[in-house]
Amino acid sequence: MVPKKAPELFYDESRFCGGCGHGIFNRILAEVLEEMDIVSDTIICSDIGCNHQFQFWMNVDAIVPPHGKMGAAITAMKRVRPDKNIMTIAGDGGAYAIGIGETTSAALRNENVVMFVMNNTLFGMTGGQLAPTTMIDQKVASAPLGRTVEDNGQNTDVFKLMGDMDIAYLARTSVTSPANIMKTKKAVRKAIEKHQAGKGFCLVEVLVPCPTNWHMTPAKSMEYIDEVVSKVYELGEKIDR
Amino acid sequence: MEKIKLSVEHCKGCYLCIANCKPGALSISKEVNAKGYLVPQVDQDKCVQCGCCYTMCPDLVFEIF
Ligand SMILES: Cc1ncc(C[n+]2csc(CCOP(=O)(O)OP(=O)(O)O)c2C)c(N)n1
Ligand code: SF4
Ligand code: SF4
Ligand code: SF4
């Protein structure tokens, strides 16, 4: 059923820009935590970046490791507190650039943790610089003529990176429409249920807009995800064990 | 009958709600909130309570009765 009222765990307004996808994802996760009645049994590991501002409006237990080190931090958190649901809300910069070692190492060990990675194709907080997810030819602040393989290397597609790994769940969704938001919600719930069943490493990448650094209106940003970003980064479930 | 309530003080003027309201019940009003955004207004008669505005809004503006 479609909810009708904002989750109760929000205690303030968000600090995100208007039309930012992080706000939509925060609400989706809050709805799932409340529907599963696990708010007080959950610890969310933060990244650094716009994404980390979830803790300034959501009343949840949170831990903030250095930028990108979520893969290591959630491993430790789960080992110390196996009774808690352990997850992270990460940026694509954090998870796949500075934190790529920690992210892939946690996946290679098939740690029983959940990563929600917000893919907005760039570094949002610092002004829209190139991230591993910046697409070939996409123009960003630090690649004004567009990304090239020669100068910037190939872009990172987590389906290619982890598609053959022995992990529990790997999915990609978006937030461009009510239907896609419901799919994201289902994937979030599925990942948390696998986590509770001890299945292992779960990663859900969510394609989210950053209208500010994309220099687009929020509505146009959603079209851009549907027409361009999700053609490069395929939606769906890649691994489901 | 009041079908839906808008807490427009939270609004940041992204208009994703209007873009996703199929019956056309939402439009931009002439009211500016304290943040400086022109906020949406609802035509209660046209609203079918589908919840799409709630689902798209990043800023928790909507409550459906
Ligand atoms: C160790 C370290 N290096 C660099 C930074 C600067 N920094 C802050 S946020 C950020 C990247 C943010 O991008 P992303 O992870 O994609 O998150 P978003 O802001 O888009 O949500 C960087 C490089 C930092 N805070 N700490
Ligand atoms: S800069 Fe981009 S990612 Fe950061 S809050 Fe604004 S829209 Fe969201
Ligand atoms: S979606 Fe929410 S924040 Fe955006 S214009 Fe509508 S009410 Fe305002
Ligand atoms: S509930 Fe549906 S019909 Fe009513 S204002 Fe929202 S989007 Fe429009």
Side-chain angles (χ1 to χ4, degrees):
Chain A
M1 209 189 72
V2 181
K4 307 200 152 155
K5 198 173 185 290
E8 284 174 7
L9 61 75
F10 288 102
Y11 66 91
D12 201 353
E13 298 190 330
S14 93
R15 300 193 191 179
F16 306 122
C17 307
C20 175
H22 289 321
I24 300 176
F25 180 78
N26 285 185
R27 195 204 63 240
I28 295 168
L29 179 59
E31 285 173 5
V32 173
L33 295 180
E34 287 194 356
E35 284 164 22
M36 294 177 79
D37 197 16
I38 56 168
V39 177
S40 55
D41 302 319
T42 298
I43 309 174
I44 307 181
C45 176
S46 169
D47 187 7
I48 305 294
C50 293
N51 55 77
H52 89 281
Q53 302 182 102
F54 74 83
Q55 57 208 300
F56 304 143
W57 72 323
M58 287 171 76
N59 191 6
V60 288
D61 288 334
I63 278 184
V64 191
H67 183 33
K69 306 301 163 189
M70 300 78 66
I74 52 180
T75 297
M77 288 157 70
K78 190 66 190 176
R79 290 184 183 194
V80 173
R81 292 302 302 265
D83 55 319
K84 295 281 181 184
N85 300 296
I86 301 295
M87 57 194 71
T88 178
I89 304 175
D92 47 357
Y96 305 150
I98 193 168
I100 187 70
E102 286 74 11
T103 302
T104 47
S105 296
L108 286 165
R109 293 192 304 266
N110 198 20
E111 292 288 343
N112 188 32
V113 292
V114 183
M115 294 192 72
F116 299 117
V117 182
M118 303 300 109
N119 178 355
N120 57 16
T121 75
L122 39 69
F123 288 4
M125 176 160 269
T126 46
Q129 294 85 359
L130 187 112
T133 45
T134 302
M135 300 168 291
I136 302 302
D137 292 332
Q138 184 184 353
K139 295 183 174 69
V140 292
S142 56
L145 301 178
R147 182 184 196 130
T148 63
V149 176
E150 300 72 48
D151 285 345
N152 315 109
Q154 189 63 50
N155 57 312
T156 299
D157 178 344
V158 74
F159 278 13
K160 290 184 187 155
L161 186 73
M162 294 188 182
D164 291 326
M165 285 191 192
D166 189 15
I167 58 176
Y169 193 48
L170 180 63
R172 186 183 285 120
T173 63
S174 81
V175 296
T176 58
S177 64
N180 280 331
I181 287 172
M182 292 321 281
K183 282 188 194 159
T184 298
K185 190 169 169 181
K186 272 197 186 144
V188 165
R189 187 168 180 134
K190 194 165 177 175
I192 296 174
E193 283 171 352
K194 282 180 186 284
H195 176 68
Q196 291 184 323
K199 299 258 184 201
F201 187 87
C202 298
L203 189 149
V204 180
E205 184 184 285
V206 187
L207 302 182
V208 291
C210 172
T212 302
N213 288 303
W214 290 3
H215 309 292
M216 292 177 197
T217 64
K220 185 82 202 145
S221 303
M222 295 301 192
E223 275 175 42
Y224 182 69
I225 293 176
D226 283 339
E227 287 163 18
V228 180
V229 186
S230 59
K231 300 287 189 288
V232 175
Y233 298 117
E234 180 198 348
L235 301 177
E237 295 181 317
K238 184 78 176 170
I239 296 174
D240 183 3
R241 295 194 177 100
Chain B
M1 189 185 74
E2 204 182 32
K3 299 173 181 166
I4 180 167
K5 190 179 112 195
L6 280 64
S7 302
V8 291
E9 67 276 16
H10 304 313
C11 174
K12 296 189 191 136
C14 72
Y15 308 128
L16 291 173
C17 53
I18 297 177
N20 285 276
C21 178
K22 295 263 158 64
L26 293 171
S27 56
I28 303 178
S29 73
K30 293 199 161 41
E31 181 191 342
V32 179
N33 68 7
K35 299 184 204 298
Y37 297 105
L38 277 170
V39 298
Q41 63 188 1
V42 65
D43 180 339
Q44 297 281 349
D45 293 336
K46 282 195 190 161
C47 175
V48 297
Q49 297 184 302
C50 64
C52 289
C53 51
Y54 167 90
T55 308
M56 293 307 297
C57 180
D59 287 286
L60 315 176
V61 168
F62 297 91
E63 182 177 348
I64 297 155
F65 298 115

